[in-house]
């Protein structure tokens, strides 16, 4: 074993299949309840958030444009209003959630965005849409980074990526159902009670979201330090949760001070993890080209693919994303290594982008079809990168919340304009510039993953020189390589 890894107790093979199977009955029961409550609510809410986030485009092409007299780039402005609200709200929300109970804050914000979504049905003009969509984005900004922060407050290194990625798969599963749901709502309700079908889209999405938000008040846990005994958790089980986090050095909330806030910017974590996440989040552009590629086969004289086929065939990309998301998650937790799956996925994605740029559009249809399907192989890395952020900053609760929020905030800041520049609609489906740029983005992501791993190894070596391990190696449950932190001092720098 190298000097940069910590020898730990050998894990039985079944723990690599599911990490609770080698734990004590008491801890296993606790984690089973935690998984059932937290992951169920997180996945359902993420699905509903996707519906509320995407419905504006469905409504636009379903009659809203004509009814409200929209024209030009006004849909882009409406989308930008949502993005502005989403970017503005994330960091303040994640700072607030270290002080306000997540089981109150997150469902309340979800309830607010569901009501605002239904209010969109009353819009009379472009200005109304812009104002309401900004508020929807502001309310939705509280969800994703907050859930990742809460997940990072309960789970150990060998458990964290799987939970974060299972929750994240809702972003890939959502599109496979939302299109059918939106179409059914429009076709079945258009004109009912004198309301246009596009108005019913907003109303139905809000109705779906409200009961999920109410469920959150019941089952959403808080942090280990402030979750109260309930029908789901006994005080003994909550004590297990607190001791688990103490064992891995995940700190509880502390008072904000000027020195603490300055400390957010004095270590390397913010300057490698945020660029890493921004590059990941902007590395999926080529997947948007498949729908344009299929449409390009149709001419005024001949239709090769129907509208339904053009919308359905690209959903295979979502299936690939789900499979690869779970593959990377199990690999990362099993090896207790975060950088390796990122490097592998980034290399794969860069290779696909180069192949798309270097090959003709129509010479080998089957090959290009397969290439498009594989453009989502790195789409599930979000959970792994944010798990890494939760681990590396675990010794400072407030910094952890800040870094996680910054990752998503700056990712969306770039995503608001970068795809328009490198994947302009007028250049679809060839988008040579976009494919080459995305290959470079994946190379940049790989570089930042390696830099982060090197700096983490350096901190581990330095920490060993300062103090010995706090527990005997034989008491540990996994091998921590450059991607894990099952001892307090590992993430201390």
């Amino acid at each position: 074993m190298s000097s940069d890894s910590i020898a730990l107790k050998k894990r039985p093979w079944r723990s690599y299949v599911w990490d609770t199977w080698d734990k004590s009955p008491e801890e296993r029961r606790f984690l089973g309840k935690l998984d059932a409550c937290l992951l169920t609510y997180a996945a359902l809410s993420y699905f509903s958030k996707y519906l509320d986030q995407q419905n504006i485009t469905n409504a636009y092409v379903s009659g809203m444009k004509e009814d409200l007299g929209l024209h030009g780039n006004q849909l882009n402005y409406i989308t930008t209003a949502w993005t502005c609200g989403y970017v503005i709200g994330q960091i303040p929300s994640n700072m607030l959630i270290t002080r306000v109970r997540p089981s109150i804050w997150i469902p309340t914000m979800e309830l607010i965005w569901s009501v605002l979504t239904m209010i969109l049905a009353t819009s009379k003009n472009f200005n109304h849409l812009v104002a309401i969509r900004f508020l929807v984005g502001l309310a939705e900004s509280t969800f994703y980074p907050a859930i990742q922060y809460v997940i990072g407050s309960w789970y150990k290194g060998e458990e964290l990526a799987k939970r974060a990625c299972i929750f994240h798969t809702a972003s890939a599963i959502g599109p496979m159902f939302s299109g059918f749901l939106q179409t059914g709502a429009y076709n079945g309700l258009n004109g009912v009670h004198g309301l246009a079908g596009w108005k019913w889209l907003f109303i139905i999405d809000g109705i779906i979201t409200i009961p999920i938000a109410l469920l959150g008040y019941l089952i959403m846990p808080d942090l280990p330090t402030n979750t109260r005994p309930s029908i789901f958790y006994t005080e003994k089980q909550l004590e297990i949760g607190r001791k688990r986090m103490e064992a891995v050095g995940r700190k509880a909330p502390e008072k904000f001070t000027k020195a603490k806030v300055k400390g957010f910017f004095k270590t390397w974590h913010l300057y490698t993890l945020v660029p890493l996440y921004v590059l990941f989040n902007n590395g999926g552009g080529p997947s948007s080209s498949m729908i344009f590629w299929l449409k390009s086969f149709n001419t005024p004289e001949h239709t090769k693919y129907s509208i339904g086929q053009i919308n359905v065939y690209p959903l295979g990309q979502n299936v690939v994303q789900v499979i690869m998301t779970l593959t990377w998650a199990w690999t990362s937790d099993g090896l207790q290594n975060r950088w390796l799956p990122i490097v592998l996925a980034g290399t794969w994605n860069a290779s696909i982008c180069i192949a798309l740029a270097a090959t003709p559009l129509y010479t080998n249809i089957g090959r290009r079809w397969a290439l498009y399907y594989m453009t989502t192989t790195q789409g599930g890395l979000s959970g792994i990168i944010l798990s890494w952020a939760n681990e590396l900053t675990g010794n400072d609760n407030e910094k952890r919340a800040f870094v996680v929020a910054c990752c998503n905030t700056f990712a969306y800041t770039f995503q608001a304009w970068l795809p328009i520049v490198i994947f302009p609609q007028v250049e679809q489906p060839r988008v040579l510039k976009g494919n080459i740029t995305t290959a470079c983005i994946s190379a940049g992501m790989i570089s930042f993953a390696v830099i982060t791993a090197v700096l983490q190894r350096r901190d581990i070596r330095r920490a060993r020189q300062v103090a010995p391990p706090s527990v005997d190696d034989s008491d540990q449950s996994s091998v921590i390589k450059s991607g894990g932190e099952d001892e307090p001092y590992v993430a201390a720098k």
Side-chain angles (χ1 to χ4, degrees), residues 130 315 375:
V130 168
L315 293 179
T375 55

Side-chain angles (χ1 to χ4, degrees), residues 113-131:
W113 90 58
S114 64
V115 172
L116 289 169
T117 297
M118 291 190 288
I119 292 176
L120 282 167
T122 68
S123 299
K124 303 298 183 184
N125 53 50
F126 167 72
N127 291 334
H128 289 171
L129 289 172
V130 168

Side-chain angles (χ1 to χ4, degrees), residues 14 38 50 98 201 215 264 297 355 395 407 450 458 484 489:
R14 64 181 183 275
L38 178 52
Y50 177 86
T98 64
L201 294 181
L215 178 66
F264 296 169
F297 283 90
N395 67 307
C407 287
V450 172
R458 183 202 67 180
Y489 67 86

Side-chain angles (χ1 to χ4, degrees), residues 411-429:
Y412 267 86
T413 301
F414 279 85
Q415 196 175 43
W417 60 268
L418 185 60
I420 299 173
V421 174
I422 64 176
F423 286 96
Q425 188 171 337
V426 294
E427 295 181 14
Q428 293 282 8

Side-chain angles (χ1 to χ4, degrees), residues 331-410:
T331 302
S332 180
D333 275 357
L335 297 177
Q336 272 295 274
N337 186 305
R338 305 304 183 209
W339 66 267
L340 182 59
I342 298 172
V343 169
L344 292 175
T347 302
W348 191 343
N349 194 60
S351 301
I352 296 300
C353 293
I354 292 170
L356 286 170
T359 55
L361 284 171
Y362 307 109
T363 300
N364 189 321
I365 303 302
R367 176 183 63 198
R368 198 159 190 90
W369 197 296
L371 289 174
Y372 279 131
Y373 270 15
M374 288 189 287
T375 55
T376 56
T377 52
Q378 78 165 35
L381 293 179
S382 173
I384 292 176
I385 296 173
L386 294 181
S387 294
W388 206 1
N390 272 306
E391 292 170 335
L392 289 172
T393 58
N395 67 307
D396 186 328
N397 180 79
E398 289 69 30
K399 179 181 175 181
R400 180 166 64 88
F402 180 74
V403 171
V404 168
C406 283
C407 287
N408 212 46
T409 295
F410 286 97

